[in-house]
Amino acid sequence: MGSFPLKYNMLSLYLYILVPHIALKTPRNYGEMEAQALLSWKGSLLNKTRSTLPSWTLSNCSSHCNKTSTPCVWFGISCNDAGKVVKVNVSSLGLEGTLLSFKFSSFPNLDSLDLSSNELHGAIPAHIGNLSQLTYLGLSYSYFSGKIPWEISLLKNLETFLVVQNQLNGSIPVEIGNMKSLKELSFGNNNLSGIVPVSLGNLTGVTILELFETQISGSIPLEIGNMKSLLKLSLNENRLTGSIPTSIGNLTGLTSLYLFGNGLFGSIPQEIGRLKSLTYLSLSENSLVGAIPTSLEMGNMKSLEDLNMGDNHLKGPIPSTFSNLKNISDLVLSYNQLSGTVPEKIGNLRKLSLLQLSNNMLSGHLPQSLCLEGSLVNFTAKENYFTGPFPKGLRNCSTLYRVRLGKNQLTGDISDVFGVYPNLDFMDLSDNNLYGKLSRNWGQCQRLTSLSLSGNNITGPIPPEFGESTNLAVLDLSNNQLVGEISRELMKLKFLNKLNLSRNDLSRLLPSEIGNLSKLNHLGISSNNLSGHIPKQIGSCFKLLSLSLSTNRFHGTIPSQMGDLIFLQILLDLSRNKLMGEIPSGLGRLRFLEKLNVSHNMLSGPIPSSFEEMKSLTSINVSYNQLEGRLPNIAF
């Protein structure tokens, strides 16, 4: 019994130490610790952004309602059943500040932290590695700078790490290759440098890897082929060089592969044909050479919706088996050195909406069945060697939005090949061998903004219905064999900024309504048979940068209103007409003009002294007139 007091005292001491420790672990005390940490960080934010978190405050009421001190009821905070903070989501609130005052060690149970789409800046603190239970970390679309701390690799449970569009620099820590729980890793749109770490090949559970728009260089490591869970791989718009590794063929579950905008060279590996689940494949804007691989020629990649191999140095034919890509919507092969003909059956691809074949060495006829039963929106095949007629399937292709077929050798009568295109915005058939008359249907293309048919053998008049295409901004019918007058209906096109009717056989007067075209930047009517006076209303086209009326039969005087065209910069050419009288002194106000040509007329009188003010002139020609005096002292 003598020992009882000692045992009693020891028990009391043990309880004295233990009870406060237990008290610290209660939900209430955990809540207070986490609340204080969150309030401390809130207090470090700039004043103007603190107001976006009004619920982040402790209650001022008496002790009977102290339960409100828990942050679990605050905006963006989620807790588990024990009252411990497990999620913080304050994305897209415009918060401005740093993470230096964020006490990560106060959140041992935090599972998700989303701070994305704010104005947070500064470094990502190394002690973020204390969040041992974290599975989601979102820091995208902010202004974080400095290096990615290697301590991130201590987050062994992390599954998603997103830091897209920040200002991070330095290399990607090799230790990230130890984060075996990762499923999504996105570093895109930063200033990262160095190489793609070989250690990323250890991340066999990653499904999304995005390293786009950084400054990483070197080659794509062979080990990338170990990441067999990948569904999406984005390495586009970097400084990567070398060849595409054959091991990429191991990624058989891949649905999206983006390697465009690098300096990759060599041939496209045959193994890429094993990626039968691909829906998006972009290898454009590299220096790839050789033929399109036979593994692609098999047409086995039947899930493909978007295939872009443009802007490389590929040679050889377009595989005929591309016609088996029944789900393809975008096919881009432009800016290569491809040759041969376009497989006719490509025109049967009903889902095809974008077909770009421009700037190759392709020849033969375009597929006549294009868009016959499909939904083609954008078709470009300019600067090739195509011959034959405009594809018949395009006549009733109401989905067309943009067509560029210029600089080929297309032939045929176009009088009746164009339908009505309610969605058409741009059409360029310039520099071909097309003939026939202009279709009246162009007037019903109400959304058309640009039409170029220059450099063909088109005859007949310009239909007045063109004036009904009221959104036209560019109309180029130059270098044809058009006849008749310039219709006043064209002067209703108030959005025109470029009108080129040069090198035709148009006659009669230039309508005085030309002054209605107040948005014109470029007006070319040279080398026709226009006569009469130059209308003074042309001075209302005050936005003109270039004006050419040369090689016509205009007579009378140069209208003084031309001096109002103070923004004329590129050219004023009135040469080879029958103009007479003096040169208006008001032309001296054209102080931005670089080239002036009034030669081969019947002008007389003195050369205006106001020309001294035309300091931008680099070329002036007043020859073959009856002018007196000498040219101003202009520094050419």
Side-chain angles (χ1 to χ4, degrees), residues 329-526:
S329 63
D330 293 8
L331 178 58
V332 180
L333 302 173
S334 52
Y335 294 93
N336 280 289
Q337 299 168 31
L338 299 173
S339 57
T341 61
V342 179
E344 177 64 31
K345 290 185 178 180
I346 280 183
N348 299 333
L349 297 173
R350 297 185 178 184
K351 295 183 179 181
L352 192 64
S353 65
L354 172 67
L355 178 59
Q356 295 188 348
L357 306 174
S358 297
N359 296 81
N360 280 286
M361 296 185 288
L362 298 166
S363 57
H365 290 198
L366 291 167
Q368 292 297 297
S369 57
L370 271 174
C371 199
L372 199 59
E373 299 181 26
S375 55
L376 194 62
V377 174
N378 189 322
F379 178 35
T380 65
K382 67 182 182 68
E383 297 188 47
N384 281 284
Y385 300 100
F386 290 118
T387 57
F390 189 75
K392 293 180 180 178
L394 297 184
R395 189 183 195 284
N396 297 311
C397 187
S398 60
T399 54
L400 279 178
Y401 178 78
R402 191 174 184 87
V403 178
R404 298 195 70 172
L405 301 177
K407 296 186 178 179
N408 280 286
Q409 299 171 20
L410 297 174
T411 58
D413 187 341
I414 62 169
S415 301
D416 196 37
V417 299
F418 299 111
V420 176
Y421 306 109
N423 299 301
L424 188 64
D425 174 78
F426 187 102
M427 172 72 83
D428 182 3
L429 293 173
S430 60
D431 298 312
N432 281 285
N433 296 313
L434 301 169
Y435 60 89
K437 296 183 178 182
L438 294 172
S439 171
R440 299 177 185 274
N441 287 340
W442 292 117
Q444 299 181 54
C445 300
Q446 296 295 310
R447 296 186 179 181
L448 187 63
T449 65
S450 181
L451 175 63
S452 181
L453 301 174
S454 63
N456 283 286
N457 298 306
I458 302 171
T459 56
I462 301 172
E465 287 82 0
F466 271 52
E468 298 171 10
S469 188
T470 53
N471 283 303
L472 267 177
V474 175
L475 178 59
D476 191 348
L477 304 177
S478 62
N479 202 15
N480 280 287
Q481 299 172 29
L482 297 171
V483 297
E485 63 180 350
I486 298 175
S487 171
R488 283 179 165 77
E489 298 300 313
L490 288 185
M491 305 304 129
K492 296 179 180 179
L493 301 175
K494 295 184 178 182
F495 293 107
L496 270 183
N497 60 57
K498 179 180 179 181
L499 175 61
N500 193 352
L501 305 177
S502 298
R503 296 181 298 282
N504 280 288
D505 197 18
L506 299 170
S507 57
R508 303 189 67 179
L509 305 178
L510 177 60
S512 60
E513 289 84 357
I514 190 74
N516 296 337
L517 305 181
S518 59
K519 295 185 182 296
L520 269 183
N521 296 140
H522 303 274
L523 176 59
I525 314 181
S526 61

Side-chain angles (χ1 to χ4, degrees), residues 37-50 53 56 88 90 94-104 107 113 115-116 118-128 139 142-146 166-167:
L38 290 171
L39 289 174
S40 176
W41 180 61
K42 176 186 174 182
S44 73
L45 301 175
L46 291 188
N47 289 333
K48 65 179 181 180
T49 62
R50 293 178 197 167
L53 297 171
W56 285 29
V88 175
V90 288
L95 301 178
E96 189 172 351
T98 72
L99 296 182
L100 297 179
S101 298
F102 202 116
K103 192 175 181 182
F104 296 108
F107 303 92
L113 177 60
L115 305 176
S116 60
N118 282 294
E119 296 184 35
L120 300 173
H121 56 274
I124 300 174
H127 56 278
I128 200 169
L139 303 176
S142 292
Y143 299 93
F144 292 112
S145 57
N166 280 281
Q167 299 172 5

Side-chain angles (χ1 to χ4, degrees), residues 92 157 203 213 279 448 515 566 586 610 615:
S92 304
N157 293 305
L203 304 178
E213 290 186 58
T279 55
L448 187 63
I566 59 174
S610 61
K615 303 298 185 182

Side-chain angles (χ1 to χ4, degrees), residues 484-486 505-511 525-532 549 551-555 577:
E485 63 180 350
I486 298 175
D505 197 18
L506 299 170
S507 57
R508 303 189 67 179
L509 305 178
L510 177 60
I525 314 181
S526 61
S527 300
N528 280 285
N529 283 309
L530 297 172
S531 58
L549 305 179
T551 319
N552 279 285
R553 293 187 291 127
F554 289 117
H555 60 264
N577 281 285

Side-chain angles (χ1 to χ4, degrees), residues 496-497 517-522 538-546 564-569:
L496 270 183
N497 60 57
L517 305 181
S518 59
K519 295 185 182 296
L520 269 183
N521 296 140
H522 303 274
I538 203 166
S540 298
C541 302
F542 60 93
K543 292 187 177 180
L544 275 175
L545 300 175
S546 174
D564 297 333
L565 303 176
I566 59 174
F567 294 108
L568 267 179
Q569 177 182 352

